[in-house]
Amino acid sequence: MMQNVHLAPETDEDDLYSGYNDYNPTYDTEELENDTAFQEAVRTSHGRRPPITAKIPSTAVTRPVATGYGSKTSLASSMGRPMTGAIQDGVTRPMTAVRAAGFTKAAVRGSAFDPLGQSRGPAPPLEAKNEDSPEEKIRQLEKKVNELVEESCIANSCGDLKLALEKAKDAGRKERILVRQREQVTTPENINLDLTYSVLFNLASQYSANEMYAEALNTYQVIVKNKMFSNAGRLKVNMGNIYLKQRNYSKAIKFYRMALDQIPSVHKEMRIKIMQNIGVTFIKTGQYSDAINSFEHIMSLAPNLKAGFNLILSYFAVGDRDKMKKAFQKLIAVPLEIDEDDKYISPSDDPHTNLVIEAIKNDHLRQMERERKAMAEKYIMTAAKLIAPVIETSFAVGYDWCVEVVKASQYVELANDLEINKAITYLRQKDFNQAVETLKMFEKKDSRVKSAAATNLSFLYYLENEFAQASSYADLAVNSDRYNPSALTNKGNTVFANGDYEKAAEFYKEALRNDSSCTEALYNIGLTYKRLNRLDEALDCFLKLHAILRNSAQVLYQIANVYELMEDPNQAIEWLMQLISVVPTDSRALSKLGELYDSEGDKSQAFQYYYESYRYFPSNIEVIEWLGAYYIDTQFCEKAIQYFERASLIQPSQVKWQLMVASCFRRSGNYQKALDTYKDIHRKFPENVECLRFLVRLCTDIGLKEVQEYATKLKRLEKMKEIREQRVRSGRDGGGGSRSRREGSAGSDSGQNCSASSKGERLSAKLRALPGTNEPYESSSNKEIDASYVDPLGPQIERPKTAARKRIDEDDFADEELGDDLLPE
C-alpha cells in the first residue's frame, strides 16, 4: 500500500508547485507537424489503447494516482501529450479542476463556442392535451357558461330582454350539467360556487326585467336559502323591489327590513338607499308618519336631494306647516358636491391650458355635474311651488318666504325664477293685473331674467290684443337676450298681427336658428307661408313639424288644409282621416270631411260625417242646413223638419228657418200644420212678403175665408215695397236722398221653390278653423300641442302661436318622484 506513496523531499517544502510552469517540449504545437507519432495517430488508429481500469475495486483514493508532481519531464502518451493524474518519474502531478467557463473537450477539438446549447435545435413540443379527458370537458363547459352569462348581460344592456332571458336560461341548464360532471369527477368541495351564484343571480335579474316576477322571486329564494352563498341576504333588497312593483307593500317593507338587518353598519350608503325605499313604500301605503321617521333619519345621517324632497311631500300630506319650512331649509342646505364654474375659465393665454379646459368643458364628468345641478333646481322649484300656497296665509307671502330662503343659500339664481313662477301662479288664478305687476319688477334685473319677464309680458299683452304693448315688451326681451327663441317668436307674432308677413317669417327663422326645437316658431312659419300663398313651403314646414309632433291635431289639420288649398282633395281627406283618429269627437274636422266628400260627389260618405259632426255638436248652423237640404233632396221632408226647427231655435230672428219648416210640412201633405206655421210666422214677422204669399195660396187651395184678408195685406206690402224701390232709384239718380233698407226674404217654396232652396242654397261656408287651431299657444318646452275647444259660432281668425318663458310647466309633484328611489339591481 505504501509503495505508491511518495513523500515530497524536504527541499521542496518551501515551494510546493516549483517547476510546474517550466517549459515542456511536449506542448510545443509548432513542432506537431514534424512529430511522426502524432501525425500517424491522426491518420490512423495507431497509438489507441484500451482505457485504463482499476484492478482493485476501491475508491479513487486507493487507486494509484499518476501525477507529474515534482517532475520536469513527463511520460508522453501515444498522443504526444502528458496524461493527467499519471505518475511520472515516481512523482505524482497534482490534479486541477481549474478551467475556463464553457471549456469542454469538444471545444478543444474544434467545435463552436455554445455555452447555452442553442445548436441542439428547438425544444421538443409540449405534450398535447387530451380533449376527451373529464377535466378538459369540465373546463370547456365552465368557459361556455361564463360566455353565456356575459352574452345575457350584454343583450340586456342593449334592450333585447327576450334574448337576455334565453341566454340566462341556457347558462342555467349548462351550469347544472357542469355541477353533475364535477360531482362525478371530483369531490363536492371543488364545485365553483361563484359561478353558480352568478348564473342564478343573472337569471333572476332577467326574469325581473321581463316582468316575470314569480319566477324571479323563486330564483332569488334559491339563492337566499343556500347557506353556502356569502352575503346572499342582500338580495332581499331586489325581492323587496319586485314586491313594490307588484304593489304588495307589506311584503316589500318586510324584505327591505330583512335586507337592512343583513347589511353591516359599515356600508352606510347601501343602508341609506334601503331606508329610502322603505320611506317611499310607506308613502305608497299612506303611512306618512312612518315615512317621515325614515326620511328624517336619512337627513340626519347623510342628507340627499331625493330624501329631502320626499320628506317635504310627507309633511305636506300631513299638513305640518312648520315642519315643511324646516324640511325646505334642509333641502336647500344639501351639498351638491360640484366644483365651481371658475375652473372652466382659462386663467392665462397658455395654449396647452386652453386646450385642456376646452376638453373638460363638456366631458362626462361635467355633464354629470350639470344633471345633478338641474335635478337639485327641479326639486327646489317644485317643493317651493308645492308649499308656498299652504305655509302662509296666502301663496304670495309663501312665495316671498321661499324666495328669502333661496337667496340666503347656494341657489341664489333660483330666486328670480321663483318670482316668475309667482307671476305664473297669478295667471292661473286669472289675476292678470298682479301677474303684470310682478313681471314688471324684473325690468331692471339682469339680462336673462329681464328677457324671461318681458317675454311673458309680451305674451300677456298679445292675448289681450294690445299689440303695441306686446311689441314693446317683445323688443325689450329680444334686446336683453337676442338668443331667446320665445322672445323672437313673440316679436314675430306682433309683426304678423300688423300684416308684415315677410318680416314675421324672418323673426321665426331666427328663433329656429337659435333653437331648432322651437315648435311654435316652425308652426308660425307655416302659417306665414300660407298667408303669402307659398303653399309648397308651408306644406314643407308642417310636414317637418309633423315629424316632431306625431299626434298634434293642429298640425294634421294644417297639412290637410294646405292640400285642400292646393286642390288635392284626396290628400286632404287622407290627412283629415288621420286627424279623426287622433280626435274622433272633433265636430269641425268631421264636417270638413263631409264637405270634401260632398264636393267629390259622394253623398253617402258626406252624410255620414255631417251626421257625426251634428251628433257631437248639434248647434252648427252650416251642418244643420246641409242635413236639412239632404233630406229634402232625398224626398224625406219629415226628417228635415227637426233640423230646421233646431236652426230656428238657434237663430230665432232668422225667418228663413221657420219658412223652411212650414215648407216641409206643406210638401209632406200636412197642409193644416203648414197653415198654422205660416200664421205663426206672420204674427212674428208681419211684414214678410213670402209668408203672406204662401198664406194666400194655402187659403185659396183649402177654401178659407181669410184669403181676402191676407190678399189685402199682401197688396199693401207689395205697394210699399215698390214705393221704397222707387225712392231708392230716385235717390241714386239724384246723388242723395234717404237709403232704403231692403227686406231679406227667405226662399219661397211654391212648386219648385223647395227644390230650388235645396239645390241653390247649398252649404257654402267653409270650415274656418279647427278647435284651438288659431288660438294663441303658450309653451316653453317641446310638448305636444293640445287641441282646445272654441265656440264654432265665434270669429275664427288664424293667429300664430305665442310662447311664454317660464321655468317649470309640470304639476306640483308626481308619483314618479317617489318610485325613482328604488335601488338598482
Side-chain angles (χ1 to χ4, degrees):
M1 294 288 294
M2 298 299 293
Q3 62 183 356
N4 294 327
V5 178
H6 302 279
L7 299 176
E10 295 179 357
T11 57
D12 295 334
E13 288 181 359
D14 295 334
D15 189 3
L16 183 62
Y17 294 100
S18 63
Y20 179 74
N21 292 326
D22 292 344
Y23 177 76
N24 192 335
T26 306
Y27 297 103
D28 188 6
T29 57
E30 296 179 357
E31 299 296 330
L32 288 178
E33 295 180 358
N34 300 325
D35 189 345
T36 308
F38 179 77
Q39 296 295 332
E40 187 66 24
V42 171
R43 288 191 299 268
T44 66
S45 60
H46 174 72
R48 182 177 297 176
R49 58 182 178 178
I52 301 174
T53 59
K55 294 180 180 180
I56 302 173
S58 177
T59 63
V61 179
T62 59
R63 294 169 59 189
V65 180
T67 178
Y69 176 76
S71 174
K72 294 186 179 179
T73 60
S74 62
L75 180 64
S77 67
S78 61
M79 297 292 288
R81 56 181 298 184
M83 292 178 59
T84 58
I87 301 174
Q88 299 177 5
D89 298 334
V91 181
T92 58
R93 179 175 177 267
M95 296 181 67
T96 62
V98 180
R99 59 184 179 177
F103 176 79
T104 59
K105 292 180 180 180
V108 175
R109 292 173 184 170
S111 62
F113 178 74
D114 187 15
L116 300 179
Q118 297 178 357
S119 61
R120 288 178 292 179
L126 297 175
E127 183 180 355
K129 294 182 180 179
N130 187 6
E131 296 183 358
D132 295 333
S133 64
E135 292 81 2
E136 184 63 25
K137 288 182 178 180
I138 289 174
R139 191 179 298 109
Q140 293 295 329
L141 188 57
E142 184 175 340
K143 181 180 178 182
K144 181 63 177 177
V145 172
N146 280 313
E147 290 176 354
L148 286 172
V149 172
E150 292 179 1
E151 291 173 1
S152 175
C153 296
I154 292 172
N156 182 281
S157 64
C158 295
D160 194 348
L161 302 180
K162 185 177 180 181
L163 178 62
L165 181 58
E166 292 176 358
K167 295 287 185 182
K169 289 180 178 179
D170 196 9
R173 287 191 292 268
K174 284 184 169 50
E175 194 273 336
R176 288 191 290 272
I177 296 173
L178 175 63
V179 170
R180 287 195 293 268
Q181 291 186 2
R182 280 188 179 278
E183 290 176 349
Q184 295 173 3
V185 176
T186 61
T187 58
E189 289 78 9
N190 293 329
I191 295 176
N192 192 347
L193 289 177
D194 292 337
L195 181 61
T196 304
Y197 180 88
S198 301
V199 170
L200 290 175
F201 178 68
N202 179 62
L203 180 60
S205 299
Q206 302 308 332
Y207 275 135
S208 179
N210 285 271
E211 298 183 357
M212 301 172 66
Y213 297 130
E215 293 83 352
L217 289 172
N218 292 335
T219 309
Y220 278 129
Q221 285 287 0
V222 172
I223 302 175
V224 170
K225 289 183 178 180
N226 194 333
K227 303 300 181 183
M228 300 178 68
F229 295 139
S230 60
N231 299 324
R234 299 184 181 185
L235 294 181
K236 291 181 180 178
V237 175
N238 291 358
M239 298 177 71
N241 290 343
I242 293 176
Y243 282 122
L244 183 63
K245 292 177 181 177
Q246 292 180 332
R247 299 188 178 183
N248 192 345
Y249 300 124
S250 59
K251 280 196 173 183
I253 293 173
K254 175 184 175 181
F255 275 89
Y256 284 144
R257 286 177 170 170
M258 292 169 64
L260 194 63
D261 295 337
Q262 296 283 334
I263 296 175
S265 59
V266 180
H267 300 161
K268 292 182 179 179
E269 186 176 356
M270 180 70 73
R271 292 178 64 86
I272 290 297
K273 289 184 177 181
I274 296 176
M275 292 182 68
Q276 285 189 178
N277 286 6
I278 293 174
V280 168
T281 311
F282 277 130
I283 289 179
K284 293 284 188 180
T285 58
Q287 302 176 22
Y288 299 112
S289 58
D290 294 330
I292 287 171
N293 293 333
S294 298
F295 292 128
E296 281 183 342
H297 184 67
I298 294 172
M299 294 300 289
S300 62
L301 293 179
N304 62 77
L305 293 169
K306 290 184 178 180
F309 181 75
N310 287 336
L311 182 60
I312 293 175
L313 293 182
S314 302
Y315 283 135
F316 178 82
V318 298
D320 195 333
R321 295 184 178 183
D322 296 333
K323 293 291 182 66
M324 274 189 276
K325 290 183 177 181
K326 293 179 181 179
F328 186 75
Q329 291 173 340
K330 289 181 181 179
L331 178 64
I332 290 287
V334 172
L336 278 180
E337 299 178 357
I338 294 177
D339 294 334
E340 298 295 333
D341 293 337
D342 296 339
K343 72 176 183 179
Y344 299 105
I345 300 175
S346 177
S348 63
D349 295 333
D350 184 12
H352 178 70
T353 305
N354 293 337
L355 286 175
V356 172
I357 291 175
E358 288 295 329
I360 67 175
K361 268 185 178 180
N362 199 31
D363 59 357
H364 292 292
L365 181 60
R366 176 63 171 162
Q367 292 175 4
M368 187 177 69
E369 289 179 347
R370 288 174 181 166
E371 291 175 359
R372 184 180 298 177
K373 187 175 181 181
M375 182 181 67
E377 292 178 355
K378 177 183 178 182
Y379 283 151
I380 292 170
M381 296 291 293
T382 307
K385 290 175 61 179
L386 177 65
I387 67 174
V390 296
I391 58 176
E392 298 292 347
T393 56
S394 66
F395 87 93
V397 180
Y399 261 111
D400 293 337
W401 182 87
C402 293
V403 168
E404 293 301 324
V405 173
V406 170
K407 284 183 178 178
S409 68
Q410 57 182 330
Y411 304 99
V412 182
E413 65 275 5
L414 291 182
N416 294 325
D417 296 327
L418 278 174
E419 290 282 0
I420 292 178
N421 277 315
K422 178 181 176 182
I424 293 171
T425 307
Y426 277 125
L427 287 178
R428 290 175 178 170
Q429 295 181 354
K430 309 298 183 182
D431 194 347
F432 299 107
N433 295 329
Q434 286 292 337
V436 171
E437 291 298 325
T438 305
L439 291 172
K440 284 183 178 179
M441 294 169 55
F442 293 96
E443 293 184 8
K444 296 182 180 179
K445 298 286 185 178
D446 57 52
S447 60
R448 184 185 65 85
V449 180
K450 184 192 299 183
S451 177
T455 301
N456 283 318
L457 285 170
S458 174
F459 158 73
L460 287 174
Y461 283 121
Y462 183 84
L463 292 183
E464 295 178 355
N465 292 329
E466 297 183 13
F467 299 125
Q469 289 282 356
S471 180
S472 63
Y473 279 105
D475 290 333
L476 178 61
V478 171
N479 294 332
S480 301
D481 185 3
R482 187 71 187 184
Y483 298 99
N484 184 352
S486 299
L488 291 166
T489 301
N490 287 348
K491 179 59 181 176
N493 291 349
T494 59
V495 177
F496 184 96
N498 293 326
D500 192 350
Y501 304 124
E502 294 287 353
K503 190 175 181 181
E506 293 299 323
F507 281 108
Y508 297 142
K509 288 178 182 178
E510 187 175 355
L512 278 177
R513 285 194 294 268
N514 294 334
D515 183 7
S516 59
S517 62
C518 185
T519 55
E520 296 91 346
L522 186 57
Y523 183 90
N524 293 347
I525 286 179
L527 291 183
T528 306
Y529 286 147
K530 197 166 73 168
R531 287 292 181 91
L532 294 171
N533 203 27
R534 292 155 64 175
L535 299 180
D536 291 332
E537 297 176 59
L539 181 62
D540 184 53
C541 292
F542 289 126
L543 289 175
K544 288 180 181 177
L545 194 57
H546 175 65
I548 301 172
L549 306 175
R550 301 297 299 180
N551 294 322
S552 172
Q554 298 183 19
V555 176
L556 290 171
Y557 170 74
Q558 292 295 344
I559 295 174
N561 184 246
V562 171
Y563 274 120
E564 183 187 2
L565 295 175
M566 297 172 69
E567 298 180 356
D568 190 349
N570 293 327
Q571 283 290 335
I573 289 173
E574 181 179 345
W575 284 95
L576 282 174
M577 293 296 290
Q578 294 186 36
L579 174 60
I580 293 301
S581 66
V582 176
V583 280
T585 60
D586 192 289
S587 63
R588 287 188 172 272
L590 291 167
S591 64
K592 190 65 180 178
L593 266 173
E595 180 184 339
L596 290 173
Y597 276 117
D598 186 26
S599 63
E600 291 293 303
D602 192 344
K603 295 291 184 181
S604 60
Q605 286 287 345
F607 171 75
Q608 176 185 349
Y609 288 109
Y610 270 123
Y611 182 77
E612 288 294 315
S613 176
Y614 173 78
R615 191 164 64 90
Y616 289 117
F617 184 59
S619 299
N620 192 334
I621 291 295
E622 297 168 351
V623 174
I624 291 172
E625 184 179 4
W626 191 93
L627 288 172
Y630 173 79
Y631 279 118
I632 291 175
D633 279 344
T634 55
Q635 304 299 321
F636 289 99
C637 297
E638 297 88 351
K639 292 186 177 181
I641 292 173
Q642 59 175 331
Y643 296 102
F644 292 127
E645 285 179 344
R646 179 170 291 275
S648 65
L649 291 175
I650 296 172
Q651 295 181 348
S653 60
Q654 294 289 332
V655 68
K656 67 176 182 178
W657 306 121
Q658 300 181 42
L659 290 173
M660 293 300 297
V661 172
S663 175
C664 290
F665 280 127
R666 188 179 61 80
R667 288 180 62 85
S668 62
N670 194 347
Y671 296 106
Q672 185 59 44
K673 192 68 175 176
L675 180 61
D676 295 339
T677 305
Y678 280 125
K679 287 181 179 180
D680 187 53
I681 296 172
H682 178 65
R683 283 193 299 269
K684 295 178 181 179
F685 304 94
E687 295 184 358
N688 188 273
V689 178
E690 300 295 332
C691 179
L692 285 172
R693 286 176 181 171
F694 286 119
L695 278 172
V696 171
R697 185 173 301 172
L698 274 175
C699 291
T700 303
D701 293 341
I702 298 175
L704 297 178
K705 297 179 180 180
E706 294 95 338
V707 61
Q708 189 62 37
E709 178 185 355
Y710 293 129
T712 305
K713 291 181 180 180
L714 178 60
K715 289 180 180 179
R716 186 171 62 251
L717 285 176
E718 287 178 346
K719 188 174 182 180
M720 290 175 62
K721 182 179 179 182
E722 185 178 353
I723 293 172
R724 290 194 190 106
E725 291 177 355
Q726 289 178 357
R727 289 177 180 176
V728 171
R729 285 197 297 269
S730 63
R732 289 176 180 174
D733 294 339
S738 61
R739 306 176 67 183
S740 62
R741 185 165 59 95
R742 178 171 299 179
E743 188 96 20
S745 61
S748 61
D749 205 8
S750 59
Q752 295 92 2
N753 284 345
C754 183
S755 177
S757 173
S758 62
K759 295 181 180 178
E761 297 180 3
R762 291 300 183 197
L763 183 62
S764 59
K766 295 183 179 179
L767 183 63
R768 298 185 181 94
L770 206 64
T773 303
N774 305 309
E775 290 303 302
Y777 184 68
E778 175 187 356
S779 174
S780 63
S781 60
N782 298 333
K783 300 187 297 184
E784 290 190 3
I785 305 169
D786 296 328
S788 58
Y789 190 79
V790 182
D791 183 7
L793 302 179
Q796 300 294 323
I797 302 173
E798 197 168 50
R799 297 174 64 183
K801 298 180 182 180
T802 57
R805 181 70 174 264
K806 54 184 179 181
R807 287 295 298 269
I808 294 182
D809 300 312
E810 300 84 15
D811 293 335
D812 291 339
F813 60 96
D815 290 340
E816 56 265 24
E817 294 295 345
L818 305 178
D820 192 30
D821 294 349
L822 292 180
L823 183 66
E825 299 177 6

